[in-house]
Amino acid sequence: MSKSKHSKKSKHTKKSTSSKKTTSPKKVKSPDGWDASPTEVLRVGPGFSIDDFDRASTPGWSDGKKKAEDTLASYGKRLSELQERLFAEGRSGGSRSVLLVLQGMDTAGKGGIVRHVVGLVDPQGVQHRSFGAPTEEELAQNYLWRIRRALPEPGYLGVFDRSHYEDVLIVRVHDLVPEDVWSGRYDEINAFEAEIAAAGTTIIKVAMFVSLDEQKARLTERLDRPDKYWKFNPGDIDERLEWPRYQEAYQAILDKTSTEVAPWHVIPADHKWYARLAVSRLLLDALEGLDLGWPAADFDVEHERLRLAES
Ligand code: AMP
Ligand code: MG
């Protein structure tokens, strides 16, 4: 599915942006307004090229910003309920969990996803972790050590703001370890993710892509507005200067680590409203896919009802 989508470059190319005209008249929208499922249309398949990826496009969505915001709000109730079922299952001996992995350059909007998408569910059921430069203690261990310790427990929605992928992104771009070390990590990461998937974690990997121009606009805003200074880090400009090498490193992770159990989804992130809508739909699809029920009572309901009535 993704194979043909991406090799034809149908939804992602600069030519097709978000134009309403590109939607074939036969196409039937889903009840929530999507022309095509983001889980399918954003999924990375062989032949996908980030150079051809239009970061201002809105694949699968042709109804604009206002409708997108309303739709996102409408997902809240369903997301909440499913997350509560997952939590209940974890409390009742279940082993399943969900892990949302967010990757993207500075200003791509990872924080906005946490606030506006993950923020729709009960924070008690969320385990959020962000990964910066490793501490001395972390550096003394294998790079996956800190990741393993941060994995969501059964019943939880784990969110990684950056992840083990930094160990083949910034580490590769800045030669923080020799090439023969980082080049072996793609296979190691695939094996690691296969292991955690087999243990019951549904992995949703999201790579958010802003354009170079949009990143400049967002960094400019951080310098223009005192209420945004806290988000600015002079190092962001150093990373920006390495843009081509980062694109190469991102292409490599998409080529080598988009697997059946843990596929990558690529999100055009110049429109924040689109990125938030798309990621919320990915999360919803993943939770729906778990077919979550409510745990059965492990007590005699009638007996307890009687005791309560008599109390
Ligand atoms: P931020 O997410 O904006 O707070 O920035 C965190 C910074 O830590 C980013 O520049 C990351 O690239 C960097 N970082 C994250 N993981 C690693 C790692 N494994 N090695 C080196 N730097 C990292
Ligand atoms: Mg930053």
Side-chain angles (χ1 to χ4, degrees):
M1 125 207 85
S2 44
K3 193 178 197 166
S4 60
K5 290 255 159 54
H6 290 287
S7 50
K8 276 191 280 169
K9 293 176 183 153
S10 55
K11 292 276 170 189
H12 292 138
T13 51
K14 296 196 163 104
K15 282 138 253 151
S16 69
T17 352
S18 61
S19 160
K20 294 179 177 81
K21 283 153 260 143
T22 58
T23 308
S24 105
K26 271 178 281 150
K27 215 164 233 171
V28 180
K29 274 189 199 296
S30 65
D32 57 349
W34 287 93
D35 304 319
S37 154
T39 295
E40 288 172 23
V41 85
L42 300 174
R43 184 178 169 140
V44 169
F48 172 77
S49 161
I50 61 172
D51 291 336
D52 298 331
F53 190 57
D54 181 356
R55 293 148 194 230
S57 63
T58 61
W61 185 263
S62 51
D63 281 348
K65 179 177 178 178
K66 174 73 177 72
K67 191 87 187 299
E69 287 171 345
D70 293 347
T71 303
L72 173 60
S74 78
Y75 289 162
K77 195 162 172 259
R78 186 76 185 131
L79 274 173
S80 271
E81 187 189 318
L82 291 170
Q83 179 269 327
E84 190 180 350
R85 286 177 188 239
L86 178 67
F87 192 77
E89 183 184 278
R91 280 298 170 95
S92 310
S95 58
R96 296 191 295 179
S97 60
V98 171
L99 175 61
L100 177 65
V101 175
L102 301 172
Q103 279 293 156
M105 301 286 288
D106 291 300
T107 77
K110 302 183 292 297
I113 296 294
V114 176
R115 247 188 334 277
H116 297 277
V117 178
V118 180
L120 294 170
V121 307
D122 184 348
Q124 293 179 94
V126 174
Q127 290 178 331
H128 172 266
R129 278 294 309 272
S130 50
F131 294 95
T135 61
E136 224 166 277
E137 185 193 23
E138 288 167 348
L139 272 178
Q141 308 283 337
N142 178 277
Y143 67 101
L144 291 174
W145 180 75
R146 65 174 182 165
I147 305 297
R148 280 188 190 279
R149 288 162 43 112
L151 290 172
E153 293 165 78
Y156 282 84
L157 166 60
V159 181
F160 283 181
D161 179 342
R162 303 189 191 268
S163 65
H164 42 300
Y165 285 99
E166 293 293 326
D167 292 282
V168 282
L169 288 167
I170 189 168
V171 166
R172 169 176 165 153
V173 167
H174 291 285
D175 302 309
L176 300 181
V177 302
E179 177 166 357
D180 64 328
V181 174
W182 61 250
S183 63
R185 290 182 174 173
Y186 301 97
D187 288 345
E188 290 165 17
I189 288 172
N190 287 338
F192 168 68
E193 290 179 352
E195 175 200 325
I196 62 176
T201 301
T202 298
I203 306 169
I204 312 161
K205 296 191 301 201
V206 165
M208 302 176 70
F209 291 103
V210 273
S211 62
L212 195 56
D213 287 348
E214 179 63 18
Q215 194 200 41
K216 192 171 212 169
R218 292 182 188 177
L219 287 173
T220 303
E221 194 180 26
R222 290 180 183 184
L223 290 174
D224 284 347
R225 287 179 42 180
D227 63 321
K228 300 239 172 182
Y229 290 166
W230 68 274
K231 288 191 184 184
F232 185 82
N233 174 351
D236 297 350
I237 297 177
D238 301 311
E239 301 314 319
R240 176 176 167 81
L241 290 169
E242 297 287 358
W243 193 269
R245 296 196 70 197
Y246 268 108
Q247 301 311 297
E248 224 176 277
Y250 268 101
Q251 181 71 55
I253 66 172
L254 300 177
D255 289 343
K256 296 173 199 276
T257 64
S258 198
T259 59
E260 201 57 48
V261 290
W264 276 106
H265 294 89
V266 282
I267 314 288
D270 279 6
H271 293 298
K272 290 178 180 172
W273 57 263
Y274 174 79
R276 291 168 189 172
L277 177 69
V279 177
S280 64
R281 184 69 243 186
L282 294 179
L283 184 56
L284 200 47
D285 280 0
L287 286 165
E288 302 267 13
L290 292 179
D291 204 10
L292 291 153
W294 290 108
D298 57 1
F299 47 85
D300 181 338
V301 179
E302 282 317 312
H303 178 67
E304 295 304 320
R305 205 194 294 281
L306 259 170
R307 286 180 62 219
L308 179 63
E310 287 164 4
S311 67

